[in-house]
């Protein structure tokens, strides 16, 4: 077994099985160590500075100790600090996005996904460029500005050239006041050369879920197809960064393997990216296995209840305070509501997980990748967020201004990013309210904007934002952003 080495580029060294086992043993031995737990919690707490706040974060071992603790008072303190961190660096803003499924053709045999090759009951579909346009127009008519494109792995049906053509099509469509300003990409592990092509196409974040960091389980869960290669898949983020993509998104599919193992592996991966590339993951997603066409979540042994899921989310927030966290419509409104205060900074809204699902009036179920638990419209999600004190943000300014990778992280760590994010969130919310919102949502929104404008600390920034929002109301359109 290779020794744990976060600076190594080999998967077995930066995700070292024995180190994870040792971490879990260490956490179990110290889960009632009050002195150690108090010191870890104190280390995680935000520290006020002249420009805002900074955080130390936690190592995978330190965070694993907190996760292992069964003390309700410790859990409550974890939640309190998670909320402090969330407000310090992300404020009350929640970024909105939608997935766009391009194709469910796939050559892999993943046993938890209905797109697996042996599934002969699910209809196979691949969008033409005209169908991509129809999907994008439907999403623009909802008010979306940021997409995450999804596709099965199939070199014949979904080659990189097809993905690039779809990205070009998405960016080309200007419908009424709508435009997709940022396309994030969630496709299978590929080569450095292909990552360079994605970078040149102007993508935002490259997202790839590990599914499970337990190598033995990974191999059994991916019995056939190119995804069976654990090392190639696990080392994908290094190739993406070598290809020039400096914003990458990690995630595991909780429920496939024991959650404490996955938690440690996920944080070790984040530590590795920081050690080798100087910047950790831009986002971490926390999906759980859900029911789908021929998939039953009860077939897997690693299922976790909502309370455990909440604690995992909060502990991730303490460990990687500057990393965005994503929750999708896999989860119910109730679960999403609880997780928003514990660290989540991005949510999907009005999502459909079928290929071609948005252009159809009725929600199709025949090609869904998973059952959508939160089936509310985007307008309903936007109103719900505001009713709970969150600012729905459609902002993509950081990508377009070049604030990515270490440039974004340096601004985030210094607290300066708030001078961009808060006014940009209010301006993009104004665009949504004017163009797409229902009367009730519009009323809620402009009440919130009036209140939130007063919280912008810099007088000059506040004045510019107020002027821009007034122009948006009067349909004097420009692409406003800080």
């Amino acid at each position: 077994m290779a020794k744990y080495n976060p600076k190594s580029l080999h998967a077995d060294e930066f995700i070292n099985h024995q180190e994870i086992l040792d971490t879990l043993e260490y956490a179990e031995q110290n889960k009632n160590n009050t002195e150690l737990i108090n010191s870890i919690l104190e280390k995680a707490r935000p520290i006020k500075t002249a420009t805002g706040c900074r955080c130390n974060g936690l190592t995978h071992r330190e965070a694993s100790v907190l996760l292992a603790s069964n003390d309700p008072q410790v859990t409550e303190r974890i939640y309190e600090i998670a909320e402090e961190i969330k407000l310090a660096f992300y404020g009350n803003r929640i970024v909105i996005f939608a997935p766009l499924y391009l194709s469910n053709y796939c050559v892999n045999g993943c046993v938890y996904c209905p797109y697996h090759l042996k599934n002969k009951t699910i209809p196979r579909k691949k969008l033409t460029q005209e169908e991509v346009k129809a999907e994008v127009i439907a999403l623009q008519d909802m008010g979306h500005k940021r997409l995450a494109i999804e596709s099965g792995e199939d070199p014949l049906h979904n080659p990189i050239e097809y993905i690039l053509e779809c990205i070009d099509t998405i960016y080309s469509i200007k419908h009424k006041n709508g435009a997709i300003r940022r396309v994030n990409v969630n496709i299978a592990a590929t080569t450095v050369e292909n990552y360079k092509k994605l970078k040149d196409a102007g993508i935002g974040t490259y997202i790839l879920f590990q599914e499970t960091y337990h190598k033995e389980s990974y191999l059994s869960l991916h019995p056939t197809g190119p995804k069976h290669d654990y090392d190639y898949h696990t080392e994908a983020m290094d190739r993406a960064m070598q290809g020039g993509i400096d914003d990458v998104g990690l995630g595991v599919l909780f429920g496939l393997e024991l959650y404490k193992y996955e938690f440690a592996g996920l944080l070790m991966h984040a530590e590795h990216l920081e050690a080798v590339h100087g910047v950790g993951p831009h986002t971490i997603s926390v999906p759980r296995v859900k029911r789908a066409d021929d998939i039953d979540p009860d077939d897997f042994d690693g299922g976790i209840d909502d309370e455990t899921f909440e604690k995992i989310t909060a502990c991730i927030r303490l460990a990687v305070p500057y990393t965005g966290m994503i929750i999708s419509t896999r989860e119910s409104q109730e679960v999403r509501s609880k997780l928003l205060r514990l660290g989540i900074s991005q949510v999907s809204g009005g999502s459909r997980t079928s290929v071609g699902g948005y252009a159809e009036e009725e929600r199709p179920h025949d090609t869904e990748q998973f059952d959508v638990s939160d089936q509310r419209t985007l307008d309903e999600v936007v109103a719900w967020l505001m009713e709970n004190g969150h600012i729905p943000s459609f902002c993509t300014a950081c990508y377009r201004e070049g604030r990515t990778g270490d440039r974004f992280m340096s601004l985030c760590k210094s607290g300066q990013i708030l001078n961009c994010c808060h006014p940009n969130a209010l301006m993009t919310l104004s665009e949504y309210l004017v163009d797409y919102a229902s009367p009730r949502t519009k009323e809620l929104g402009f009440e919130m904007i009036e209140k939130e404008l007063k919280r912008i600390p810099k007088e000059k920034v506040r004045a510019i934002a107020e002027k821009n929002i007034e122009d948006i109301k009067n349909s004097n359109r420009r692409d406003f952003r800080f």
Side-chain angles (χ1 to χ4, degrees):
M1 172 61 65
K3 186 178 180 181
Y4 175 54
N5 179 6
K7 292 189 176 182
S8 172
L9 292 177
H10 194 278
D12 281 341
E13 293 185 350
F14 66 80
I15 305 293
N16 181 269
H17 176 65
Q18 189 57 51
E19 169 61 21
I20 296 180
L21 296 182
D22 291 346
T23 293
L24 300 187
E25 182 180 356
Y26 175 81
E28 186 65 23
Q29 291 173 347
N30 287 282
K31 67 181 182 181
N32 297 317
N33 186 335
T34 303
E35 184 178 357
L36 176 63
I37 288 173
N38 286 339
S39 69
I40 294 172
L41 289 169
E42 191 59 32
K43 178 186 175 184
R45 194 176 296 279
I47 302 167
K48 290 186 178 181
T49 67
T51 57
C53 286
R54 67 174 176 83
C55 276
N56 294 311
L58 300 176
T59 67
H60 62 278
R61 285 205 173 194
E62 291 168 335
S64 292
V65 170
L66 297 184
L67 186 62
S69 172
N70 296 318
D71 185 339
Q73 291 184 329
V74 171
T75 300
E76 191 55 40
R77 288 178 67 191
I78 291 169
Y79 289 0
E80 289 173 0
I81 296 171
E83 189 168 10
E84 283 182 44
I85 294 170
K86 165 68 168 49
L87 291 174
F89 297 103
Y90 289 91
N92 56 344
R93 300 177 307 281
I94 300 295
V95 171
I96 306 256
F97 75 97
L100 172 57
Y101 283 75
L102 301 177
S103 171
N104 63 359
Y105 283 96
C106 192
V107 298
N108 289 310
C110 313
V111 302
Y112 51 82
C113 175
Y115 294 173
H116 64 89
L117 183 62
K118 290 184 179 180
N119 187 354
K120 303 303 180 185
T121 63
I122 195 167
R124 301 291 174 172
K125 186 173 182 180
K126 169 187 172 181
L127 298 181
T128 66
Q129 295 309 304
E130 283 303 312
E131 289 171 328
V132 170
K133 289 181 181 178
E135 290 287 281
V136 170
I137 288 171
L139 285 158
Q140 288 174 346
D141 280 339
M142 292 184 202
H144 278 294
K145 305 296 184 187
R146 177 191 301 238
L147 303 183
I149 59 173
E150 319 263 352
S151 175
E153 183 173 12
D154 188 321
L156 179 62
H157 290 95
N158 316 323
I160 190 67
E161 291 75 18
Y162 170 71
I163 302 299
L164 294 170
E165 186 180 9
C166 289
I167 293 170
D168 184 62
T169 296
I170 292 167
Y171 279 140
S172 73
I173 300 167
K174 305 295 184 278
H175 171 66
K176 298 180 180 177
N177 288 328
I180 301 303
R181 294 171 175 166
R182 186 50 47 197
V183 176
N184 296 335
V185 174
N186 185 352
I187 62 169
T190 186
T191 63
V192 172
E193 187 58 37
N194 283 343
Y195 286 125
K196 288 179 180 177
K197 292 177 181 178
L198 290 171
K199 172 68 174 179
D200 291 342
I203 73 164
T205 304
Y206 172 67
I207 302 164
L208 183 67
F209 297 162
Q210 179 63 26
E211 319 300 4
T212 176
Y213 284 99
H214 192 288
K215 187 171 184 177
E216 184 177 345
S217 295
Y218 181 98
L219 295 176
S220 64
L221 289 164
H222 307 91
T224 58
K227 197 169 179 177
H228 179 73
D229 189 333
Y230 172 88
D231 290 351
Y232 189 77
H233 185 86
T234 310
E235 295 160 8
M237 293 309 186
D238 294 285
R239 294 193 301 278
M241 287 187 159
Q242 289 163 11
I245 298 173
D246 48 8
D247 281 350
V248 298
L250 302 180
V252 293
L253 188 54
F254 283 104
L256 298 180
E257 182 51 65
L258 298 180
Y259 71 89
K260 292 178 181 178
Y261 190 102
E262 303 291 29
F263 177 83
L266 179 64
L267 294 185
M268 288 166 70
H269 202 167
E271 291 168 358
H272 161 71
L273 295 178
E274 181 82 38
V276 175
H277 303 284
V279 59
H282 188 67
T283 60
I284 288 179
S285 299
V286 285
R288 286 192 286 184
V289 178
K290 293 293 180 179
R291 192 170 303 280
D293 182 74
D294 66 340
I295 306 299
D296 184 349
D298 295 335
D299 291 341
F300 304 95
D301 297 330
I304 52 176
D305 58 31
D306 291 349
E307 289 74 20
T308 302
F309 191 44
E310 291 166 21
K311 190 173 181 182
I312 289 169
T313 302
C315 287
I316 292 173
R317 173 47 64 222
L318 268 62
V320 284
Y322 305 115
T323 297
M325 293 185 66
I326 300 174
I327 195 77
S328 77
T329 51
R330 286 175 182 261
E331 299 298 337
S332 67
Q333 175 180 342
E334 180 182 4
V335 170
R336 295 197 335 154
S337 184
K338 290 179 180 178
L339 295 187
L340 283 172
R341 77 176 185 91
L342 298 179
I344 294 299
S345 57
Q346 293 188 29
V347 301
S348 50
S351 302
R352 296 191 176 185
T353 67
S354 300
V355 180
Y358 294 107
E360 299 185 33
E361 187 172 340
E362 295 295 325
R363 179 184 295 272
H365 296 284
D366 58 347
T367 61
E368 283 188 319
Q369 191 187 33
F370 56 85
D371 285 351
V372 173
S373 298
D374 187 346
Q375 298 193 5
R376 291 173 297 169
T377 65
L378 177 59
D379 189 79
E380 289 170 332
V381 170
V382 168
W384 163 71
L385 287 171
M386 294 189 296
E387 286 167 348
N388 287 276
H390 305 289
I391 305 172
S393 174
F394 296 85
C395 180
T396 59
C398 282
Y399 296 109
R400 294 182 291 151
E401 292 293 326
R403 295 190 292 261
T404 59
D406 58 356
R407 295 172 296 286
F408 173 84
M409 286 299 175
S410 64
L411 286 169
C412 189
K413 291 176 181 180
S414 69
Q416 294 302 309
I417 198 70
L418 298 179
N419 294 319
C420 306
C421 293
H422 196 73
N424 282 334
L426 297 179
M427 290 188 297
T428 57
L429 175 58
S430 297
E431 289 180 325
Y432 174 82
L433 297 175
V434 169
D435 291 337
Y436 308 104
S438 64
R440 173 59 180 152
T441 299
K442 185 178 294 188
E443 180 183 355
L444 280 171
F446 282 118
E447 286 177 2
M448 168 169 271
I449 288 169
E450 184 177 357
K451 179 180 69 174
E452 290 292 335
L453 279 169
K454 297 173 183 176
R455 295 181 57 235
I456 298 176
K458 288 191 174 183
E459 186 176 339
K460 183 178 180 180
V461 172
R462 182 169 63 252
I464 294 171
E466 288 174 342
K467 173 64 167 60
N468 289 348
I469 288 170
E470 194 60 34
D471 284 346
I472 291 168
K473 287 182 179 180
N474 295 327
S475 297
N476 179 16
R477 294 310 177 97
R478 295 191 303 277
D479 185 10
F480 303 123
R481 62 180 182 268
F482 286 94

